[in-house]
Amino acid sequence: MTLSIAWLLNRVPDSGGLIHPLIALGVALVLHLAAAGLARRVEPRVRAPVEALGESFASRLRAMLRYAFSALLIGIATAFWPHDSVGHLVLGIGLGLSVALLAGYALRTLSIPRWATLPLALLLFLTIVSGTNGGLAPVGATLDTVGISLGKRRVTLLSLLSIAATCVALFALVRLANKLIGRSIGQAEGFDPTQKLLAQKLAAIAIIIAAFFIGVDMLGIDLTAFAVFSGALGLAVGFGLQKTFGNLIAGIILLMDRSIKPGDVIVVGDSFGWVNKIGVRAVSVITRDGKEHLIPNENLMTQEVENWSYSDRNVRVRIPVGIGYDSDLKLAQALMLQAAAESPRVLRNPKPNVWLTGFGDSRVEHDILVWISDPEGGVGNVKSDVLGRVWQLFRDNGITIPYPQRVIHGAAELPQKP
């Protein structure tokens, strides 16, 4: 390839110094179009494994492949192009743009905001372009001259750009590591959902701690400089952040003792629903109305919680029914059992039952006792379905449901005085 490029440049005269840069620009455009064609062919073959990482990865797969192939092809051309020439710089700019756009798309797949990807993409672009035109020293020296002095330290544009790029890169690596580790833990066998969730959260905490120390080392920050602020930080944690840390520890304890798990149906105060997610700060409980209640983890540790599916998902539902005193008692009870057995959500084992609970003012009171195994679907609709079937069966068989009755006796008329 070196001989081909040398032959091409020797055959084309460049008396004005514009022809060779234009040739380099044309080569970069042709290589970029070739990279787009390669990406179109390769994408269907690698889409299946990438879709497991999420829709965000799959939607940007072709763009990332295009800029990856473009960076590879233009990088090869840049390596064989004669150095110390304007054409070499043009190819370096094309290579820098391809790498910067590839980094931007890769960061966007990790749900990082577009404005946050700019420092890392800009640093990569400047690094590659300056590397094709004399190294990083001139660019670094230029960026280092722009800054302000804060006491004994000087804050420059280069240091700010480096800090921002390092933070974005570490944040992206943390998000990517969480996705990969979470996916591998989710596919692991031998763990129930609660244990998988606990392992994912502990792994996420370990990754964040490791990223913090790696960032401190990369930026050259001396931790002893923060010794003065350790007392203030301890007070802040003790007073201002104690609830936050309390909720964090409470969430880990809930996952460890498995008293509350995702999918459980719980009642906390006035909140009734099923647990959707146990987060770092709060537990998400979705009610039958579709509302999502965020209950702090610490509340679930200190308050009384009614867990309908702690050891068994079967829940008994009590449905009161009253019949008239002149009705056939045995027939009415048989019809109640028939209505309960025909309801689709009622379990056959344990079987439904009917209890006679008392004699009221105007009716004989019964309770229909049925069992369900999906309490997250609610109990009101089960009662409604069973009562509707009872109503129809009672009407068809002459069983009456009496109205409340009150008998009022008038006072005797007193004799009037003469």
Side-chain angles (χ1 to χ4, degrees), residues 60-405:
R60 296 179 174 88
L61 176 60
R62 179 174 294 185
M64 290 191 293
L65 288 174
R66 180 172 66 248
Y67 290 117
F69 286 135
S70 176
L72 177 62
L73 296 176
I74 297 177
I76 294 174
T78 304
F80 289 108
W81 199 273
H83 292 266
D84 299 328
S85 64
V86 180
H88 191 267
L89 177 61
V90 171
L91 289 176
I93 293 175
L95 176 60
L97 286 175
S98 297
V99 173
L101 291 172
L102 174 61
Y105 275 100
L107 293 175
R108 291 290 293 151
T109 60
L110 299 172
S111 302
I112 297 178
R114 194 182 302 275
W115 58 267
T117 65
L118 183 61
L120 183 59
L122 181 60
L123 184 62
L124 289 173
F125 175 76
L126 292 176
T127 301
I128 293 174
V129 173
S130 60
T132 61
N133 190 28
L136 292 173
V139 177
T142 303
L143 295 176
D144 200 44
T145 57
V146 181
I148 58 175
S149 298
L150 298 176
K152 297 181 179 180
R153 300 183 63 87
R154 177 172 174 79
V155 181
T156 64
L157 184 59
L158 178 62
S159 62
L160 292 177
L161 187 60
S162 300
I163 292 173
T166 302
C167 292
V168 172
L170 288 175
F171 184 71
L173 290 176
V174 168
R175 296 292 293 269
L176 180 60
N178 284 333
K179 280 182 175 291
L180 295 177
I181 294 177
R183 180 169 173 264
S184 60
I185 293 176
Q187 295 178 347
E189 299 180 357
F191 294 96
D192 59 25
T194 304
Q195 292 172 336
K196 292 179 180 179
L197 184 58
L198 176 60
Q200 289 172 355
K201 291 191 177 299
L202 293 178
I205 294 174
I207 291 171
I208 292 174
I209 294 174
F212 172 77
F213 286 107
I214 291 174
V216 168
D217 182 69
M218 291 177 62
L219 296 175
I221 299 175
D222 187 7
L223 291 179
T224 58
F226 295 99
V228 180
F229 303 100
S230 59
L233 181 61
L235 290 176
V237 172
F239 291 99
L241 301 178
Q242 59 179 346
K243 289 292 184 182
T244 302
F245 281 92
N247 287 321
L248 173 62
I249 301 302
I252 295 176
I253 293 175
L254 288 175
L255 291 173
M256 291 180 64
D257 67 4
R258 303 171 63 187
S259 57
I260 296 177
K261 307 177 294 295
D264 283 354
V265 179
I266 65 173
V267 180
V268 184
D270 296 332
S271 300
F272 164 77
W274 62 93
V275 178
N276 179 45
K277 177 184 177 183
I278 299 180
V280 175
R281 188 190 65 84
V283 172
S284 168
V285 178
I286 300 180
T287 66
R288 288 291 299 162
D289 298 330
K291 300 177 181 179
E292 192 164 1
H293 294 185
L294 298 178
I295 304 175
N297 296 332
E298 196 172 4
N299 290 0
L300 300 178
M301 294 288 295
T302 57
Q303 296 182 7
E304 181 179 350
V305 179
E306 184 178 338
N307 192 338
W308 287 19
S309 52
Y310 177 60
S311 57
D312 189 359
R313 293 189 60 81
N314 291 348
V315 175
R316 191 173 71 173
V317 181
R318 188 184 302 270
I319 307 173
V321 176
I323 63 174
Y325 278 99
D326 56 348
S327 300
D328 187 338
L329 188 64
K330 295 295 183 181
L331 176 60
Q333 293 175 350
L335 294 175
M336 294 180 203
L337 287 175
Q338 179 183 345
E342 292 176 351
S343 183
R345 288 183 57 197
V346 173
L347 298 178
R348 302 298 178 265
N349 187 21
K351 63 181 182 179
N353 200 359
V354 174
W355 286 358
L356 193 156
T357 58
F359 300 102
D361 294 338
S362 59
R363 61 182 186 174
V364 182
E365 298 174 350
H366 293 80
D367 275 348
I368 304 176
L369 306 177
V370 299
W371 291 84
I372 60 174
S373 61
D374 52 349
E376 66 274 5
V379 297
N381 49 9
V382 177
K383 291 183 178 180
S384 175
D385 182 71
V386 173
L387 289 176
R389 296 174 186 274
V390 168
W391 171 264
Q392 189 62 44
L393 290 174
F394 278 7
R395 291 188 62 183
D396 295 342
N397 292 273
I399 304 298
T400 60
I401 301 177
Y403 296 100
Q405 298 179 5

